[in-house]
Amino acid sequence: MDAAAPTPPPAGTGTGTAAAAAAVFPPFPAGYSKFNSALNAGLLNPMSPPPPPIDRIRSSPTLFEMMANEQDCHPRNQIPPLPALPAPPGAGRQQQQHHHHPQLMTAPPLSAQERQLLLQERVAEILGSCSPGNQLGDQETGDVRLTLTSRDGLTVSMAVHRQVLVAHSRFFAAKLSDRWAKQQQPQPAPPQRGGATAAAPHHVIEISDCDDVEVYVETLRLMYCQDLRRRLMREDVPKVLAILKVSSAIGFDGGILSCLEYLEAAPWAEDEEEKVAALLSQLRLENSGAGEVLKRVSLEVVPLAADERGTAGTGGEEVLVRLLQVVLEGKDEKARREMKRLVSKMLRENNSGCGGGAAGHGGHGGGDLSKESLYAACESSLRQLRHHFLRVAGSDLAEAAQISRQADNLHWLLDILVDRQMAEELLQIWAAQAELAAAHPRVPAIHRYEVSRVTARLLVGVGKGQILVGKEARCQLLQTWLEPFYEDFGWMRRACKGLDRHLVEDGLANTILTLPLGLQQEILLSWFDRFLNSGDDCPNIQRGFEVWWRRAFWRRNGDPDRPPRQLRIVAATSP
C-alpha cells in the first residue's frame, strides 16, 4: 500500500510553520544570502552563476579527478623549459649591439690558447688510435724528444724512438747520426743518494714552420705501422697527398711508395685530379713510381714516322674523329642524341681551351678537331643524304628513313661549325645543291622536312651574324632553298619539338634584309601573297616587311623632295 502524502500545515500558524520549515530544511549559507542581496540591489548580472560558498571547505580531489586533469595541467608532448644558463659578463651589452645588426652575430675567432688545446686533443686522438704495441709517444721507452711547431706558433712535443726514425727516414738518420748525437749528448747527471743514477738523457729535435702538425704526426705513426697500405685505406685523397708531401720532405721512402700505390689504385674526384698532378710534378718523384699515377690523367704520345705526319693528325684528334664517326653511324636514336650532346660539350670545351677556334684554320689544336676533319664528315653525310633523297624521289621509299637520319647528322655538324665560326664554306656547298632542291617536291613531306632544318639553321646563322658570306652566296641560298623551306615550314613547326619558330623567322627576315633593296622587294612581296593564303604554315616575317617598307617608301631626312617610289602589287590567284 502506498504511503499517504504529508498533510500541509494549516494556515494561520506562522510561527509554527517557520519552526517546522527550519526543522525540515537547513538554513541558507551566509554567502548565498549575500549573493541574493547583491542581486536584488542590481549589482550583479542575473545570468551570472552564483559564487561558491566561502564557509564551505572544498574537499580534496579524488584520484580519478587528478588523472583527468593531469593533461590540462601538463600536456603530454610539452617539454618543460630548461633553466636559463647564467649569461657571461658583458653578454647583455653584446646582445644590444647585435640586436640591430644580425649579420654581425658570428662566432668569435679562437684564441691561441684555445687552438693549442684543440691541437693537443687531436694529437692525443691520433696517438690513442694506434694499434696495441705501437710505442709512438711512449714516455718511458722514447729516447728522442721531438717538437713540432706550426707556422702560426702552435707547438706539440712527443716522445719518439731513435731506432725507428733512423730506419725509416733519411732526414732523421742524418739528424740522429752518431756524430750529431755526440755533439748533442748532455753531460751525465751525477749519481744520486743510494747509488742511483738519473734517467737516460733524451735527444731533442725541433722542426719549425710545419704546414700541418697533425699530418706530421700521422706520418710518424706510419713509421710504426707494419702494414702501411692497410693503414692508408682509411684516409681520403687530400689526406694522402698531405702525407706524401711530408714523407717526401723527410725522406720516408716507405711512406712515399705507399702513398703512390694508394693514389694509383684509389678513385679521384674531378677537382682532385689537378691537385694530384700538381703535387707529383712539384715533388719530382718520377723514380719512385709517380709516372704510373700520372698515366691516369696524361696520354703517352707515340711519335709518328715522317711519312705519316702529313696524313694523320695528333692522337687526340684521331680519338675525336673516331668518336664523331661512331656517333654519325650509331643505330639507336636515343643514344645518338645523348652522345651528340656529350661530344658537342667536349668539343666546345676543347675549342675554348685552345683559344677559341685557333685550330679551325687548318691547324691542329692539340686534342681538337681540325677544319679538314669536320668538313670531311660533312661531305660524307651530304653524299649519303643526296643518295637516299634522290632514290626516294624516284619512288623508292625503302630508304626514306635515312633522309631524316643524314639530315640530322648534317644539322649537328653545322652547329659545331657555327660554334667554331667555320660554317661559311658549308653554306656555299648547301646553296649549290640545285639537284637536291629540284627533287624536293617529289619526296613526301614527312620524310623531307628534316632537310629544311639545315636551311633554317643557315638562315639563323646569317641573320645573327654567325655566318658571314658574300652577297652572291646569300642570294644563291635563298634562290635554291627558299621555296622548299616555305613548303616544309608547317611540318617543321608541328614535328620539330625543339624548333624556335620566332628565331627562325627573325633569321629569315634578317637574311632577306641583307640583300639589295630590289631583291628584298621581290622576295617580300612574294611572301606577302603566300602568307595571306597559308597562314601559320608560312613563316611570319612581318617585321622584315615593315623594315623594307620604311626603307623603300619613306622620305629620307636628307632628301625631302624625293618623290615616293611607285609600288606595284600583283595579286596571285590560287590554283
Side-chain angles (χ1 to χ4, degrees):
M1 180 180 294
D2 297 336
T7 305
T13 59
T15 306
T17 303
V24 177
F25 301 100
F28 293 103
Y32 187 82
S33 300
K34 294 180 180 180
F35 168 77
N36 194 19
S37 301
L39 179 63
N40 294 332
L43 300 177
L44 295 178
N45 187 357
M47 300 303 296
S48 300
I54 59 176
D55 57 345
R56 183 177 179 181
I57 301 176
R58 186 176 182 272
S59 60
S60 300
T62 63
L63 178 61
F64 178 78
E65 293 175 346
M66 294 173 62
M67 295 175 61
N69 297 331
E70 182 179 4
Q71 294 184 355
D72 298 335
C73 299
H74 302 285
R76 181 169 300 178
N77 296 330
Q78 182 177 358
I79 300 176
L82 297 176
L85 297 177
R93 181 172 60 256
Q94 294 178 0
Q95 185 176 3
Q96 293 178 0
Q97 293 176 357
H98 295 312
H99 179 70
H100 299 287
H101 302 281
Q103 66 274 14
L104 299 179
M105 299 180 63
T106 57
L110 297 178
S111 62
Q113 183 178 3
E114 292 173 338
R115 288 187 285 112
Q116 178 69 33
L117 292 176
L118 290 176
L119 177 61
Q120 292 178 354
E121 291 178 0
R122 290 194 293 264
V123 171
E125 292 178 0
I126 295 174
L127 298 179
S129 62
C130 295
S131 58
N134 194 323
Q135 296 181 344
L136 177 63
D138 191 351
Q139 300 290 342
E140 297 180 358
T141 60
D143 54 357
V144 177
R145 172 61 58 178
L146 178 62
T147 301
L148 303 173
T149 304
S150 64
R151 294 181 178 178
D152 52 357
L154 302 181
T155 303
V156 169
S157 296
M158 56 190 307
V160 291
H161 300 78
R162 178 177 180 271
Q163 182 180 1
V164 176
L165 299 183
V166 171
H168 292 87
S169 169
R170 295 190 301 273
F171 169 78
F172 287 112
K175 285 292 184 181
L176 297 174
S177 62
D178 295 336
R179 180 180 178 182
W180 181 87
K182 291 179 181 179
Q183 295 176 357
Q184 300 295 325
Q185 182 80 20
Q187 296 295 330
Q192 299 180 355
R193 294 181 180 180
T197 58
H202 288 75
H203 303 294
V204 178
I205 298 179
E206 296 183 0
I207 300 179
S208 303
D209 295 336
C210 299
D211 293 336
D212 193 334
V213 174
E214 292 183 56
V215 176
Y216 269 81
V217 178
E218 293 273 5
T219 307
L220 292 174
R221 181 174 61 175
L222 291 179
M223 295 184 183
Y224 287 79
C225 293
Q226 298 294 333
D227 192 348
L228 278 68
R229 295 181 58 185
R230 186 175 181 180
R231 183 68 192 182
L232 288 177
M233 290 177 63
R234 308 176 185 178
E235 309 295 347
D236 54 7
V237 173
K239 176 61 74 64
V240 173
L241 289 177
I243 294 176
L244 175 61
K245 186 176 181 180
V246 175
S247 300
S248 176
I250 63 177
F252 179 24
D253 294 334
I256 294 174
L257 294 177
S258 299
C259 290
L260 292 177
E261 291 177 357
Y262 171 92
L263 294 174
E264 196 278 331
W268 306 341
E270 189 172 358
D271 58 341
E272 295 171 347
E273 295 181 0
E274 294 292 337
K275 299 178 182 178
V276 173
L279 181 61
L280 294 184
S281 301
Q282 175 186 353
L283 299 180
R284 298 181 180 180
L285 301 174
E286 292 80 5
N287 297 330
S288 301
E292 294 295 326
V293 180
L294 292 176
K295 284 183 179 180
R296 186 183 302 188
V297 294
S298 62
L299 184 65
E300 294 182 358
V301 180
V302 180
L304 300 175
D307 55 347
E308 297 178 351
R309 294 174 184 172
T311 58
T314 61
E317 184 181 4
E318 292 178 357
V319 174
L320 289 175
V321 170
R322 176 59 180 166
L323 291 178
L324 204 69
Q325 182 180 1
V326 171
V327 171
L328 294 175
E329 298 176 357
K331 297 181 179 180
D332 189 277
E333 290 300 324
K334 181 179 179 181
R336 288 177 71 244
R337 288 193 298 268
E338 294 180 1
M339 291 301 102
K340 282 181 178 179
R341 288 192 293 267
L342 176 61
V343 174
S344 298
K345 178 183 177 182
M346 294 190 304
L347 292 177
R348 193 176 299 111
E349 292 176 353
N350 278 6
N351 188 36
S352 60
C354 294
H361 300 283
H364 300 292
D368 197 15
L369 276 175
S370 65
K371 181 179 179 180
E372 291 79 7
S373 299
L374 287 172
Y375 269 92
C378 290
E379 292 175 359
S380 175
S381 296
L382 181 57
R383 183 169 55 253
Q384 297 183 53
L385 173 63
R386 187 188 303 110
H387 170 74
H388 297 300
F389 199 86
L390 294 179
R391 292 196 62 175
V392 173
S395 301
D396 185 4
L397 300 179
E399 300 179 358
Q402 292 295 325
I403 296 177
S404 175
R405 180 186 183 87
Q406 298 303 327
D408 183 69
N409 287 340
L410 194 60
H411 187 276
W412 177 54
L413 294 172
L414 175 58
D415 279 335
I416 297 176
L417 291 174
V418 170
D419 187 63
R420 293 165 173 253
Q421 302 175 359
M422 297 187 297
E424 290 78 11
E425 294 183 17
L426 184 57
L427 184 145
Q428 297 173 3
I429 295 173
W430 186 252
Q433 301 299 316
E435 183 182 8
L436 206 62
H440 181 271
R442 303 195 301 271
V443 177
I446 192 174
H447 302 304
R448 74 189 185 200
Y449 74 90
E450 288 283 354
V451 175
S452 293
R453 288 184 61 226
V454 179
T455 304
R457 184 64 184 93
L458 290 170
L459 293 174
V460 171
V462 174
K464 296 179 67 174
Q466 298 172 339
I467 304 176
L468 302 178
V469 293
K471 177 184 62 177
E472 293 77 10
R474 300 195 303 272
C475 292
Q476 187 179 12
L477 175 66
L478 293 176
Q479 181 181 0
T480 304
W481 288 107
L482 184 57
E483 191 68 23
F485 174 77
Y486 283 154
E487 296 294 336
D488 293 341
F489 185 80
W491 272 92
M492 286 192 297
R493 183 177 60 85
R494 289 186 293 268
C496 299
K497 297 181 180 180
L499 181 69
D500 189 344
R501 172 175 180 171
H502 300 291
L503 182 65
V504 174
E505 291 171 344
D506 289 343
L508 174 60
N510 291 335
T511 302
I512 295 173
L513 293 175
T514 62
L515 302 177
L517 198 60
L519 292 177
Q520 296 178 34
Q521 176 174 324
E522 179 182 351
I523 295 174
L524 289 172
L525 289 180
S526 175
W527 163 84
F528 191 86
D529 179 67
R530 176 182 290 272
F531 183 76
L532 289 176
N533 292 284
S534 301
D536 288 341
D537 287 341
C538 180
N540 188 349
I541 54 175
Q542 179 180 351
R543 186 192 62 82
F545 189 87
E546 294 176 358
V547 173
W548 160 76
W549 179 271
R550 289 192 292 268
R551 287 178 179 177
F553 301 105
W554 278 23
R555 292 186 178 182
R556 302 179 183 273
N557 295 331
D559 191 9
D561 298 332
R562 178 184 176 186
R565 293 176 177 267
Q566 297 296 327
L567 176 63
R568 181 183 179 186
I569 301 178
V570 179
T573 58
S574 301

